[in-house]
Amino acid sequence: MSSSSSSSSPSCPKKMITLKSSDGETFEIEEIAALQSKTLESMIDENCASTPVPLPNITGKILAKVVEYCTKHAEVGADAESLRAWDAEFVSVDHPTLFDYILAANFLEIPTLLNLACQSVADMVKGKTPDEIHKIFNIKSTFTPEEEEELRRENQWAFD
Amino acid sequence: MDSLPDAIVQYILSYVDNARDIAVCNCVSKRWKDSLPYIRRLYFPRNSFENNAGRDNPDNVVWRMIASIVQLDELVVYCPFSSAGLASWLSLVSSSLRRLELRMDNLAEQQACLETPSKLDCIGAAKDLESLKLWGVLMTCVPKWDIFPKLRNLEIVGARLEGPALSSAIQACPNLTSLLLLGCEGVRSVSIDLPLLEHCKLDFYGLGNCSLSLTSPKIESLEVQGCSWIRVRETNCLRNLSISNNSGRVYMVDFGKLRALEFLSIRGIQWCWDAVSKMLKWASEVKHLYMKVEFTGDYEALQPFPEVDLVDFFNSHPKLQKFDVHGAMFAALCQKNSLKNIDTAFTIPCLEEVAITVRSPLNAEQKMGTLESLVKYGKSLKTMVIKILQMKSSHSSADDFFDEICRFTYMNRKLVRIE
């Protein structure tokens, strides 16, 4: 399979498919890159990908990044070290965007992106207290004061 | 985060495996607490209960956490625990647990054999384990294990073993594909008969006089440190072989044909010449060769190496691409007959990378000759790295030799560099 950097002869152009975001933007992606998505892979196999594929759950802003991710990861000959660095850069985004990546990767079934983004969120939890976690993710404690006290007692060892 | 569906929150939290973080997540919100039963991996670092101040029994805390999880695949415990605790945890997860890693810490306990059941015995309850890794094990008694039919990977790091206990333990894992025994002392002789074994790394402390017999027809990669006697007859799949001995003498090697061998490393203080020459003879197909043995000699006395003819050497290893040769073994390479009767067709066809360590200025002319021949006949040579270590002599001969090497490097500067 040719990489994106090699010249393609006129007689065999790279197969592209078109994706359409929830807000009507269209994006072209090489078929090879699209195969990273199990959802798109089965559509390609069943020949349903010749017209623009509507993705009502994913906005243009996120879809653009997902296309970028899949294209990068479909490249041949990238060394593991630089790919890791690229991935780290890719997930250095604000939380709403990160969660959108997770939702998109889940919908499109892109295991590598799902893994990368989830691990990234999980890493933010490490070593934090519940209050810090509340702040980081903007979530509220839904416990009653009694429940909260009991839980703290049970898990006191983790707060020592 | 509130907008994410429950399943996604569960999935994200399954990436949190540190027990302390999980305990904290329990206190964040109802949704988080309700997601935690679905995590698959639980890890207790060494210092988990360091500041506990005797309030909670660590064994019980671990038990409570495991009990709250629906299906635990992997348990890693580095903090101290008792065998009763371990037995209680494993009775909760024996049907789901696939991977177990424990810091046993038994080495200081002389009485380990008397405590029944021992921690090792308790592990037998996790019958469906696929991977077992133990740190700091005292295995002087035969562990009361039945069979681990699904166990593919066994690693023991830092152990005091006795031969019969080790053999018995290995026999309980007939389907192993990977076996690592690192930093193990007390073994004198070990016989391993594992039909599915592909990767094996053995590192024995002590006098360096262990005997190893390995019967594993599928073995692909074998690393052995600390043996003086090694027999591996079925070697059709063996691709990587590394034999070293830091403390004893390697005197007997008995290998089948090394047809598939791509990488060979021989290292140590002393190898009998018979062992060295046999290894080199069997490894005729090798692509990468690493040689760092200080001395030869069949008995206590350390002897220098006999001369090895350069032309013969490279003709008998025609596929050699990478060559690392150090100190005494490099010094042994010479051109006994070559320079006089050189066959004009002689080449070193595949050699691309060479790394050489030089330690003494003795036989400088012979060494320079070898370096020059490598460059001259190595048609595919891309790089040569020369390391010069602690040139012991304060003689001018050391300086002269160093100058020679520098000149050689300069004249071949596209290929050669000094480190």
Side-chain angles (χ1 to χ4, degrees):
Chain A
M1 294 283 183
S2 56
S3 75
S4 48
S5 56
S6 66
S7 57
S8 49
S9 61
S11 52
C12 43
K14 295 198 192 70
K15 278 206 79 181
M16 310 289 281
I17 64 170
T18 311
L19 306 175
K20 192 160 165 194
S21 71
S22 60
D23 39 5
E25 273 189 78
T26 55
F27 297 89
E28 288 220 313
I29 180 174
E30 282 181 43
E31 198 178 271
I32 295 173
L35 291 176
Q36 306 220 22
S37 151
K38 291 199 170 53
T39 312
L40 294 178
E41 186 185 6
S42 44
M43 291 185 86
I44 292 169
D45 278 346
E46 289 163 28
N47 275 319
C48 305
S50 41
T51 50
V53 178
L55 300 171
N57 307 18
I58 309 178
T59 62
K61 171 177 166 237
I62 299 299
L63 190 52
K65 296 297 283 179
V66 173
V67 167
E68 193 186 320
Y69 178 88
C70 292
T71 307
K72 178 73 183 177
H73 276 247
E75 272 176 21
V76 240
D79 73 287
E81 187 77 47
S82 63
L83 193 58
R84 256 197 299 274
W86 190 92
D87 279 353
E89 194 59 45
F90 188 81
V91 287
S92 305
V93 290
D94 58 41
H95 296 151
T97 310
L98 199 51
F99 295 140
D100 283 335
Y101 286 168
I102 292 176
L103 288 168
N106 184 50
F107 178 70
L108 287 171
E109 289 185 80
I110 307 171
T112 47
L113 179 55
L114 189 59
N115 180 54
L116 175 66
C118 287
Q119 182 69 64
S120 192
V121 176
D123 288 346
M124 291 180 203
V125 168
K126 286 188 185 154
K128 302 282 191 308
T129 65
D131 290 329
E132 285 167 338
I133 294 174
H134 290 146
K135 280 205 191 64
I136 294 171
F137 295 114
N138 199 20
I139 44 183
K140 290 196 201 41
S141 162
T142 43
F143 296 120
T144 67
E146 296 83 29
E147 284 172 335
E148 187 137 352
E149 206 200 297
E150 162 127 24
L151 282 167
R152 294 265 170 163
R153 233 179 325 118
E154 256 180 41
N155 295 291
Q156 185 56 43
W157 67 275
F159 296 99
D160 287 336
Chain B
M1 188 161 222
D2 286 332
S3 60
L4 294 175
D6 287 346
I8 297 277
V9 173
Q10 276 170 27
Y11 191 69
I12 292 173
L13 290 178
S14 73
Y15 281 80
V16 179
D17 55 16
N18 185 316
R20 196 177 257 166
D21 291 331
I22 290 170
V24 163
C25 288
N26 253 319
C27 306
V28 168
S29 76
K30 264 210 185 80
R31 192 150 89 124
W32 279 45
K33 183 173 188 303
D34 292 342
S35 299
L36 292 170
Y38 302 102
I39 63 170
R40 310 298 283 263
R41 180 176 188 257
L42 199 48
Y43 157 54
F44 287 85
R46 185 99 184 114
N47 60 357
S48 294
F49 300 101
E50 227 148 64
N51 302 320
N52 190 25
R55 178 185 43 238
D56 300 303
N57 179 338
D59 285 350
N60 290 347
V61 174
V62 175
W63 189 93
R64 273 204 317 267
M65 288 203 78
I66 295 176
S68 69
I69 293 169
V70 169
Q71 184 176 320
L72 192 65
D73 282 346
E74 182 173 353
L75 177 63
V76 179
V77 182
Y78 288 159
C79 60
F81 60 93
S82 73
S83 61
L86 178 60
S88 71
W89 309 336
L90 293 181
S91 68
L92 287 173
V93 293
S94 52
S95 55
S96 68
L97 202 65
R98 298 279 167 264
R99 306 172 67 91
L100 179 62
E101 185 172 336
L102 297 172
R103 190 168 171 144
M104 307 285 276
D105 256 357
N106 274 343
L107 288 184
E109 294 168 27
Q110 306 298 329
Q111 316 285 20
C113 260
L114 303 180
E115 181 192 23
T116 41
S118 69
K119 288 178 189 172
L120 270 176
D121 293 342
C122 292
I123 293 172
K127 293 204 178 316
D128 287 336
L129 278 185
E130 292 172 11
S131 169
L132 177 61
K133 185 165 177 179
L134 303 173
W135 298 76
V137 187
L138 187 59
M139 197 189 278
T140 48
C141 306
V142 171
K144 293 188 180 66
W145 291 351
D146 212 348
I147 292 270
F148 291 107
K150 296 188 184 169
L151 199 69
R152 295 278 176 267
N153 176 47
L154 176 62
E155 285 180 49
I156 298 178
V157 182
R160 198 145 63 224
L161 311 168
E162 301 246 329
L166 177 61
S167 297
S168 181
I170 293 177
Q171 270 168 10
C173 316
N175 299 318
L176 282 184
T177 55
S178 171
L179 173 64
L180 263 75
L181 301 174
L182 305 183
C184 293
E185 54 177 328
V187 179
R188 289 301 312 277
S189 145
V190 59
S191 175
I192 296 174
D193 193 333
L194 289 168
L196 302 178
L197 197 66
E198 293 168 13
H199 301 279
C200 185
K201 183 166 173 175
L202 305 172
D203 170 27
F204 299 125
Y205 269 3
L207 299 171
N209 57 359
C210 298
S211 326
L212 168 70
S213 168
L214 179 70
T215 308
S216 299
K218 295 202 175 166
I219 191 90
E220 287 177 20
S221 165
L222 174 62
E223 256 184 81
V224 183
Q225 147 50 43
C227 286
S228 53
W229 190 105
I230 304 171
R231 164 168 288 155
V232 183
R233 297 312 327 276
E234 305 190 46
T235 48
N236 282 333
C237 301
L238 192 57
R239 283 207 306 266
N240 293 341
L241 176 60
S242 179
I243 303 175
S244 73
N245 196 331
N246 299 337
S247 36
R249 178 174 63 245
V250 177
Y251 65 81
M252 205 296 289
V253 292
D254 182 10
F255 282 78
K257 284 214 168 41
L258 296 172
R259 256 186 283 260
L261 198 69
E262 292 181 2
F263 171 72
L264 173 66
S265 166
I266 57 177
R267 306 174 69 142
I269 310 234
Q270 187 186 23
W271 280 54
C272 292
W273 179 245
D274 186 57
V276 175
S277 51
K278 276 192 178 144
M279 284 315 318
L280 291 178
K281 192 180 76 165
W282 290 324
S284 52
E285 308 293 302
V286 77
K287 292 184 186 157
H288 182 182
L289 182 57
Y290 186 103
M291 310 195 323
K292 188 178 179 182
V293 182
E294 312 289 331
F295 296 101
T296 183
D298 293 344
Y299 304 103
E300 298 279 317
L302 301 172
Q303 309 281 357
F305 286 97
E307 292 181 336
V308 172
D309 181 71
L310 186 107
V311 173
D312 285 346
F313 179 81
F314 284 104
N315 278 341
S316 32
H317 302 94
K319 295 190 182 163
L320 202 55
Q321 286 172 10
K322 281 184 72 168
F323 186 37
D324 284 70
V325 62
H326 301 265
M329 295 195 98
F330 168 64
L333 273 180
C334 72
Q335 296 113 87
K336 261 201 288 223
N337 309 308
S338 356
L339 277 184
K340 296 160 195 149
N341 318 318
I342 197 98
D343 179 358
T344 47
F346 171 64
T347 60
I348 308 173
C350 304
L351 193 63
E352 290 175 13
E353 291 174 47
V354 176
I356 295 173
T357 309
V358 185
R359 284 218 299 267
S360 100
L362 291 174
N363 296 318
E365 196 182 311
Q366 176 176 312
K367 290 175 183 171
M368 291 313 306
T370 307
L371 291 177
E372 279 156 16
S373 300
L374 287 173
V375 168
K376 181 171 172 188
Y377 297 107
K379 303 297 180 202
S380 310
L381 196 62
K382 290 198 186 119
T383 58
M384 177 188 288
V385 177
I386 306 175
K387 268 197 250 232
I388 306 177
L389 294 181
Q390 358 146 258
M391 203 77 85
K392 286 204 179 94
S393 192
S394 48
H395 256 209
S396 63
S397 60
D399 295 333
D400 288 344
F401 186 37
F402 187 71
D403 286 342
E404 285 257 18
I405 295 182
C406 290
R407 202 169 43 87
F408 168 77
T409 305
Y410 179 73
M411 287 178 51
N412 296 288
R413 56 191 176 280
K414 285 213 184 75
L415 294 175
V416 184
R417 73 170 197 275
I418 298 181
E419 252 173 41

Short mmCIF file of all heavy atoms in Angstrom, two decimals, chain B residues 262-296:
data_model
loop_
_atom_site.label_atom_id
_atom_site.label_comp_id
_atom_site.label_asym_id
_atom_site.label_seq_id
_atom_site.Cartn_x
_atom_site.Cartn_y
_atom_site.Cartn_z
N GLU B 262 19.86 -16.21 14.33
CA GLU B 262 20.20 -14.92 13.74
C GLU B 262 21.12 -14.11 14.64
O GLU B 262 21.93 -13.33 14.17
CB GLU B 262 18.91 -14.12 13.47
CG GLU B 262 18.10 -14.76 12.37
CD GLU B 262 16.83 -13.99 12.07
OE1 GLU B 262 16.61 -12.93 12.68
OE2 GLU B 262 16.08 -14.45 11.21
N PHE B 263 20.95 -14.28 15.95
CA PHE B 263 21.74 -13.49 16.90
C PHE B 263 22.41 -14.41 17.91
O PHE B 263 21.75 -15.22 18.55
CB PHE B 263 20.85 -12.48 17.61
CG PHE B 263 21.53 -11.76 18.74
CD1 PHE B 263 22.50 -10.81 18.49
CD2 PHE B 263 21.21 -12.05 20.06
CE1 PHE B 263 23.15 -10.15 19.54
CE2 PHE B 263 21.85 -11.40 21.12
CZ PHE B 263 22.81 -10.44 20.85
N LEU B 264 23.72 -14.27 18.06
CA LEU B 264 24.44 -15.03 19.08
C LEU B 264 25.30 -14.09 19.91
O LEU B 264 26.05 -13.28 19.37
CB LEU B 264 25.33 -16.09 18.43
CG LEU B 264 26.27 -16.84 19.41
CD1 LEU B 264 25.48 -17.68 20.40
CD2 LEU B 264 27.26 -17.73 18.66
N SER B 265 25.17 -14.23 21.23
CA SER B 265 26.03 -13.44 22.11
C SER B 265 26.73 -14.39 23.06
O SER B 265 26.07 -15.19 23.73
CB SER B 265 25.17 -12.44 22.91
OG SER B 265 25.90 -11.91 23.98
N ILE B 266 28.05 -14.34 23.11
CA ILE B 266 28.79 -15.14 24.08
C ILE B 266 29.62 -14.20 24.94
O ILE B 266 30.40 -13.40 24.44
CB ILE B 266 29.66 -16.23 23.43
CG1 ILE B 266 30.65 -15.66 22.43
CG2 ILE B 266 28.78 -17.26 22.74
CD1 ILE B 266 31.55 -16.74 21.83
N ARG B 267 29.42 -14.30 26.25
CA ARG B 267 30.08 -13.36 27.17
C ARG B 267 30.52 -14.08 28.42
O ARG B 267 29.93 -15.10 28.80
CB ARG B 267 29.09 -12.27 27.61
CG ARG B 267 28.42 -11.55 26.48
CD ARG B 267 27.36 -10.61 27.00
NE ARG B 267 27.99 -9.50 27.70
CZ ARG B 267 27.57 -8.26 27.65
NH1 ARG B 267 26.54 -7.94 26.93
NH2 ARG B 267 28.15 -7.30 28.34
N GLY B 268 31.54 -13.54 29.05
CA GLY B 268 31.91 -14.13 30.32
C GLY B 268 33.37 -13.92 30.61
O GLY B 268 34.10 -13.34 29.83
N ILE B 269 33.75 -14.40 31.78
CA ILE B 269 35.15 -14.28 32.18
C ILE B 269 35.97 -15.39 31.52
O ILE B 269 37.04 -15.16 30.98
CB ILE B 269 35.28 -14.38 33.70
CG1 ILE B 269 34.29 -13.43 34.35
CG2 ILE B 269 36.70 -14.14 34.13
CD1 ILE B 269 34.84 -12.47 35.31
N GLN B 270 35.43 -16.61 31.59
CA GLN B 270 36.20 -17.71 31.04
C GLN B 270 35.31 -18.75 30.38
O GLN B 270 34.34 -19.22 30.98
CB GLN B 270 37.02 -18.37 32.16
CG GLN B 270 37.98 -19.44 31.67
CD GLN B 270 38.67 -20.17 32.80
OE1 GLN B 270 38.18 -20.21 33.91
NE2 GLN B 270 39.82 -20.76 32.50
N TRP B 271 35.66 -19.10 29.16
CA TRP B 271 34.99 -20.18 28.45
C TRP B 271 36.05 -21.16 28.00
O TRP B 271 37.10 -20.74 27.49
CB TRP B 271 34.29 -19.66 27.19
CG TRP B 271 32.98 -19.00 27.33
CD1 TRP B 271 32.65 -17.95 28.13
CD2 TRP B 271 31.80 -19.31 26.59
NE1 TRP B 271 31.35 -17.58 27.94
CE2 TRP B 271 30.81 -18.40 26.99
CE3 TRP B 271 31.49 -20.26 25.62
CZ2 TRP B 271 29.51 -18.43 26.46
CZ3 TRP B 271 30.22 -20.29 25.09
CH2 TRP B 271 29.24 -19.38 25.51
N CYS B 272 35.79 -22.45 28.12
CA CYS B 272 36.72 -23.41 27.53
C CYS B 272 36.76 -23.20 26.02
O CYS B 272 35.74 -22.87 25.42
CB CYS B 272 36.24 -24.84 27.78
SG CYS B 272 36.34 -25.28 29.50
N TRP B 273 37.92 -23.40 25.46
CA TRP B 273 38.05 -23.14 24.04
C TRP B 273 37.12 -24.03 23.23
O TRP B 273 36.55 -23.61 22.21
CB TRP B 273 39.50 -23.31 23.59
CG TRP B 273 39.64 -23.06 22.12
CD1 TRP B 273 40.01 -23.96 21.17
CD2 TRP B 273 39.35 -21.85 21.44
NE1 TRP B 273 39.99 -23.38 19.92
CE2 TRP B 273 39.57 -22.09 20.06
CE3 TRP B 273 38.91 -20.59 21.84
CZ2 TRP B 273 39.37 -21.10 19.09
CZ3 TRP B 273 38.72 -19.61 20.86
CH2 TRP B 273 38.95 -19.88 19.51
N ASP B 274 36.95 -25.25 23.69
CA ASP B 274 36.07 -26.19 23.00
C ASP B 274 34.65 -25.63 22.91
O ASP B 274 34.00 -25.71 21.86
CB ASP B 274 36.06 -27.52 23.76
CG ASP B 274 35.29 -28.57 23.02
OD1 ASP B 274 35.63 -28.86 21.86
OD2 ASP B 274 34.31 -29.10 23.60
N ALA B 275 34.20 -25.05 23.99
CA ALA B 275 32.85 -24.47 24.02
C ALA B 275 32.74 -23.30 23.04
O ALA B 275 31.77 -23.19 22.28
CB ALA B 275 32.49 -24.03 25.44
N VAL B 276 33.75 -22.43 23.04
CA VAL B 276 33.73 -21.27 22.14
C VAL B 276 33.71 -21.72 20.69
O VAL B 276 32.90 -21.28 19.88
CB VAL B 276 34.95 -20.34 22.36
CG1 VAL B 276 34.96 -19.23 21.32
CG2 VAL B 276 34.93 -19.76 23.75
N SER B 277 34.62 -22.64 20.37
CA SER B 277 34.72 -23.01 18.96
C SER B 277 33.48 -23.76 18.48
O SER B 277 33.05 -23.58 17.35
CB SER B 277 36.00 -23.79 18.66
OG SER B 277 36.13 -24.86 19.54
N LYS B 278 32.90 -24.55 19.38
CA LYS B 278 31.66 -25.24 18.99
C LYS B 278 30.54 -24.24 18.72
O LYS B 278 29.85 -24.34 17.69
CB LYS B 278 31.21 -26.19 20.10
CG LYS B 278 31.87 -27.53 20.07
CD LYS B 278 31.15 -28.47 21.00
CE LYS B 278 31.79 -29.85 20.94
NZ LYS B 278 31.78 -30.48 22.27
N MET B 279 30.38 -23.26 19.62
CA MET B 279 29.32 -22.25 19.43
C MET B 279 29.51 -21.54 18.10
O MET B 279 28.58 -21.35 17.34
CB MET B 279 29.33 -21.20 20.53
CG MET B 279 28.79 -21.55 21.87
SD MET B 279 27.23 -22.43 22.01
CE MET B 279 26.18 -21.70 20.84
N LEU B 280 30.75 -21.15 17.81
CA LEU B 280 30.99 -20.42 16.56
C LEU B 280 30.75 -21.30 15.36
O LEU B 280 30.27 -20.85 14.32
CB LEU B 280 32.41 -19.84 16.56
CG LEU B 280 32.65 -18.71 17.57
CD1 LEU B 280 34.09 -18.24 17.52
CD2 LEU B 280 31.70 -17.54 17.29
N LYS B 281 31.06 -22.57 15.51
CA LYS B 281 30.85 -23.48 14.39
C LYS B 281 29.37 -23.68 14.12
O LYS B 281 28.91 -23.61 12.99
CB LYS B 281 31.53 -24.82 14.68
CG LYS B 281 31.61 -25.73 13.46
CD LYS B 281 32.29 -27.04 13.79
CE LYS B 281 31.31 -27.90 14.56
NZ LYS B 281 31.67 -29.30 14.67
N TRP B 282 28.59 -23.90 15.19
CA TRP B 282 27.17 -24.14 15.02
C TRP B 282 26.45 -22.91 14.49
O TRP B 282 25.45 -23.02 13.79
CB TRP B 282 26.52 -24.56 16.34
CG TRP B 282 26.91 -25.91 16.81
CD1 TRP B 282 27.15 -27.02 16.05
CD2 TRP B 282 27.12 -26.31 18.17
NE1 TRP B 282 27.47 -28.07 16.84
CE2 TRP B 282 27.45 -27.68 18.14
CE3 TRP B 282 27.03 -25.66 19.39
CZ2 TRP B 282 27.72 -28.40 19.32
CZ3 TRP B 282 27.29 -26.37 20.55
CH2 TRP B 282 27.63 -27.73 20.50
N ALA B 283 26.95 -21.72 14.85
CA ALA B 283 26.24 -20.49 14.50
C ALA B 283 26.66 -19.97 13.13
O ALA B 283 26.91 -18.77 12.96
CB ALA B 283 26.50 -19.42 15.56
N SER B 284 26.72 -20.84 12.16
CA SER B 284 27.25 -20.44 10.85
C SER B 284 26.30 -19.51 10.09
O SER B 284 26.73 -18.78 9.20
CB SER B 284 27.55 -21.68 10.01
OG SER B 284 26.39 -22.49 9.99
N GLU B 285 25.00 -19.52 10.45
CA GLU B 285 24.03 -18.69 9.70
C GLU B 285 23.80 -17.34 10.35
O GLU B 285 22.97 -16.56 9.91
CB GLU B 285 22.67 -19.41 9.64
CG GLU B 285 22.74 -20.82 9.13
CD GLU B 285 23.14 -20.89 7.69
OE1 GLU B 285 22.43 -20.28 6.86
OE2 GLU B 285 24.19 -21.49 7.39
N VAL B 286 24.55 -17.06 11.39
CA VAL B 286 24.20 -15.93 12.24
C VAL B 286 24.40 -14.59 11.54
O VAL B 286 25.30 -14.43 10.71
CB VAL B 286 25.02 -16.04 13.55
CG1 VAL B 286 26.44 -15.60 13.33
CG2 VAL B 286 24.37 -15.30 14.67
N LYS B 287 23.50 -13.63 11.85
CA LYS B 287 23.59 -12.30 11.23
C LYS B 287 24.22 -11.28 12.17
O LYS B 287 24.79 -10.28 11.75
CB LYS B 287 22.19 -11.82 10.85
CG LYS B 287 21.58 -12.61 9.74
CD LYS B 287 20.24 -12.04 9.33
CE LYS B 287 19.60 -12.96 8.31
NZ LYS B 287 18.16 -12.81 8.26
N HIS B 288 24.05 -11.51 13.46
CA HIS B 288 24.59 -10.58 14.44
C HIS B 288 25.33 -11.37 15.49
O HIS B 288 24.76 -12.26 16.12
CB HIS B 288 23.44 -9.77 15.07
CG HIS B 288 23.88 -8.75 16.06
ND1 HIS B 288 22.99 -7.96 16.76
CD2 HIS B 288 25.11 -8.36 16.49
CE1 HIS B 288 23.65 -7.15 17.56
NE2 HIS B 288 24.93 -7.36 17.42
N LEU B 289 26.59 -11.05 15.68
CA LEU B 289 27.42 -11.80 16.61
C LEU B 289 28.04 -10.85 17.63
O LEU B 289 28.62 -9.82 17.26
CB LEU B 289 28.52 -12.53 15.82
CG LEU B 289 29.49 -13.42 16.57
CD1 LEU B 289 28.77 -14.50 17.36
CD2 LEU B 289 30.47 -14.06 15.59
N TYR B 290 27.90 -11.20 18.89
CA TYR B 290 28.46 -10.37 19.98
C TYR B 290 29.39 -11.27 20.78
O TYR B 290 28.97 -12.28 21.32
CB TYR B 290 27.32 -9.86 20.87
CG TYR B 290 27.75 -8.90 21.93
CD1 TYR B 290 27.53 -7.52 21.79
CD2 TYR B 290 28.38 -9.33 23.10
CE1 TYR B 290 27.94 -6.63 22.76
CE2 TYR B 290 28.78 -8.44 24.07
CZ TYR B 290 28.57 -7.09 23.90
OH TYR B 290 28.97 -6.21 24.87
N MET B 291 30.67 -10.90 20.85
CA MET B 291 31.63 -11.76 21.53
C MET B 291 32.40 -10.96 22.57
O MET B 291 33.11 -10.01 22.23
CB MET B 291 32.63 -12.38 20.54
CG MET B 291 31.96 -13.01 19.35
SD MET B 291 32.97 -14.13 18.34
CE MET B 291 34.56 -13.42 18.33
N LYS B 292 32.25 -11.35 23.84
CA LYS B 292 33.00 -10.64 24.87
C LYS B 292 33.38 -11.62 25.96
O LYS B 292 32.77 -11.65 27.03
CB LYS B 292 32.16 -9.50 25.43
CG LYS B 292 32.93 -8.60 26.36
CD LYS B 292 32.09 -7.46 26.86
CE LYS B 292 32.89 -6.58 27.80
NZ LYS B 292 32.12 -5.50 28.36
N VAL B 293 34.35 -12.46 25.68
CA VAL B 293 34.85 -13.38 26.69
C VAL B 293 36.28 -12.98 27.00
O VAL B 293 37.06 -12.72 26.10
CB VAL B 293 34.78 -14.84 26.21
CG1 VAL B 293 35.26 -15.79 27.29
CG2 VAL B 293 33.37 -15.18 25.77
N GLU B 294 36.64 -12.95 28.30
CA GLU B 294 37.97 -12.43 28.66
C GLU B 294 39.09 -13.44 28.45
O GLU B 294 40.17 -13.10 28.01
CB GLU B 294 37.99 -12.01 30.14
CG GLU B 294 36.83 -11.16 30.58
CD GLU B 294 36.91 -9.77 30.01
OE1 GLU B 294 38.03 -9.30 29.76
OE2 GLU B 294 35.85 -9.18 29.77
N PHE B 295 38.80 -14.69 28.88
CA PHE B 295 39.86 -15.70 28.86
C PHE B 295 39.30 -17.04 28.44
O PHE B 295 38.12 -17.30 28.53
CB PHE B 295 40.45 -15.88 30.27
CG PHE B 295 41.13 -14.67 30.82
CD1 PHE B 295 40.47 -13.87 31.73
CD2 PHE B 295 42.42 -14.33 30.43
CE1 PHE B 295 41.08 -12.74 32.25
CE2 PHE B 295 43.03 -13.20 30.93
CZ PHE B 295 42.36 -12.40 31.84
N THR B 296 40.23 -17.91 28.03
CA THR B 296 39.84 -19.29 27.83
C THR B 296 40.63 -20.15 28.81
O THR B 296 41.24 -19.63 29.74
CB THR B 296 40.01 -19.71 26.35
OG1 THR B 296 39.54 -21.04 26.20
CG2 THR B 296 41.47 -19.64 25.93
#
